[in-house]
Amino acid sequence: MIDAQAAAWLARLHGPAEDEVRPALAAWLAEDGAHAAAFERANEAWAILPRAARYDEEELNARSSSRRPRGLRLALAACLPLMLGLGVLWWSLVSAGAYATRPGEQKVATLRDGSRIALNTDTQVDVQFDDGRRRIELDRGEAMFEVAHDAARPFVVVAGDTRVQAIGTVFIVRRTGEDVVVTLIKGKVVVSHDSQRVQGRSPQPVMLRPGERLTDPHDGLTRIEPESVEAATAWRRGQTIFRDTPLGSAVSDLNRYGGPPIVIDDPRVAALKVSGVFATNAADFAEAIAALHGLRVEKEGETLHIVR
């Protein structure tokens, strides 16, 4: 997958929008040492093609560069079908397509406009870019969006019938079924709805301020509450923060991260309130909760039962 992304970056670097691509590529290379290694391999693949040019990081970071002759650009363009035939080129990953994580996995993707998406556990997003808009569909899970400013092209995240529009901002959207939560970290976002179903929801778009969380349940009232940046972004550090959260809800949240599932059969235990900072590790969480509340953890196969 990384090799395919590197090939796509290299192909775009040889295209007509080279100057626009360079900053986003530099950010992608800086994310992970594996990215730089993959980009080097992509360069080597180009080198075996007729008249292909080679780019390296030193050249990428140069303050100025001469334009390649038109003939060379045409030769590179002619090589694209061969690259595609070799299975190296994956343009859709940077212009459109799907990004996904498995339970317990997190990923960061840099889009072609320089925006970044951090995907939490068990998340899928679909990217659709064109000249007039930047649209992301959140099919499931949770993602943090760091939006590159582009006033001419709105950046819209769609989760069900909830729409979040932003220009140059940082925010998190979480979708569980048809329930959506939007947390604004920095900048401004406007939350609206596509459908006519507005029972319990404001019929007018709502603008959030930094440090606000909008909860938009499928059946229920929309509410806006304060939320700390530390709590909202805890998953980026492999943590989760609960404040007087019912244990049943906390367990549902932890179970998203994979590992042995936690089950609570006793409603009285599920109603216990939980507060604190916990690692997103089901077994450790179960043991910590049992110690705090005088409970026990019983293992049945791979399942952990928290009981009195």
Side-chain angles (χ1 to χ4, degrees):
M1 183 67 73
I2 294 178
D3 285 333
Q5 294 180 48
W9 279 114
L10 189 59
R12 289 173 51 216
L13 194 61
H14 286 293
E18 172 194 342
D19 292 338
E20 298 177 9
V21 171
R22 283 174 173 270
L25 173 56
W28 185 77
L29 289 171
E31 282 178 12
D32 193 320
H35 291 180
F39 192 70
E40 178 67 19
R41 290 193 295 272
N43 268 309
E44 293 172 357
W46 277 101
I48 68 174
L49 298 173
R51 302 186 66 190
R54 179 180 178 84
Y55 262 86
D56 55 29
E57 286 189 66
E58 181 178 345
E59 188 175 4
L60 182 66
N61 294 327
R63 294 187 178 182
S64 62
S65 63
S66 59
R67 304 299 295 179
R68 287 180 299 278
R70 180 173 180 272
L72 178 56
R73 295 200 302 271
L74 291 176
L76 292 171
C79 291
L80 291 180
L82 177 57
M83 290 290 287
L84 183 59
L86 293 173
V88 177
L89 186 62
W90 199 290
W91 178 266
S92 62
L93 281 175
V94 291
S95 60
Y99 298 82
T101 54
R102 298 184 297 271
E105 183 181 31
Q106 294 184 4
K107 290 182 179 178
V108 177
T110 300
L111 306 182
R112 67 176 183 178
D113 67 333
S115 298
R116 289 159 53 93
I117 306 178
L119 284 72
N120 198 1
T121 176
D122 193 19
T123 295
Q124 178 167 325
V125 299
D126 294 305
V127 179
Q128 302 171 19
F129 277 19
D130 58 36
D131 292 339
R133 68 171 185 172
R134 297 173 291 172
R135 177 185 171 96
I136 312 291
E137 291 190 8
L138 177 62
D139 296 325
R140 69 175 187 275
E142 182 175 27
M144 178 169 147
F145 303 89
E146 300 176 51
V147 182
H149 181 77
D150 186 347
R153 290 195 302 166
F155 190 103
V156 177
V157 176
V158 178
D161 71 350
T162 300
R163 294 170 54 88
V164 185
Q165 181 167 329
I167 299 177
T169 187
V170 181
F171 62 100
I172 297 171
V173 182
R174 176 173 171 179
R175 180 180 182 182
T176 306
E178 294 303 315
D179 296 341
V180 177
V181 177
V182 181
T183 304
L184 181 60
I185 306 301
K186 181 173 67 174
K188 295 180 181 179
V189 296
V190 175
V191 182
S192 59
H193 301 95
D194 284 337
S195 74
Q196 299 300 312
R197 184 180 64 80
V198 294
Q199 183 177 0
R201 296 175 170 180
S202 171
Q204 302 298 325
V206 176
M207 179 175 289
L208 295 184
R209 298 183 178 89
E212 288 185 334
R213 179 186 66 214
L214 181 145
T215 301
D216 204 0
H218 181 68
D219 295 311
L221 299 176
T222 295
R223 60 185 186 274
I224 298 176
E225 302 165 304
E227 176 68 299
S228 74
V229 172
E230 180 186 15
T233 60
W235 57 271
R236 299 293 308 275
R237 304 183 297 275
Q239 300 175 329
T240 185
I241 298 177
F242 299 118
R243 294 190 179 91
D244 291 328
T245 303
L247 180 56
S249 298
V251 164
S252 295
D253 189 67
L254 260 295
N255 281 340
R256 296 187 301 135
Y257 292 89
I262 302 174
V263 173
I264 301 177
D265 298 309
D266 188 337
R268 294 172 299 174
V269 175
L272 294 172
K273 296 299 178 66
V274 177
S275 296
V277 181
F278 301 89
T280 54
N281 178 290
D284 291 347
F285 176 78
E287 293 294 342
I289 291 300
L292 286 170
H293 293 276
L295 304 172
R296 292 180 293 111
V297 178
E298 295 183 351
K299 188 171 183 180
E300 181 181 354
E302 293 299 319
T303 302
L304 304 177
H305 294 264
I306 300 179
V307 300
R308 287 185 178 275

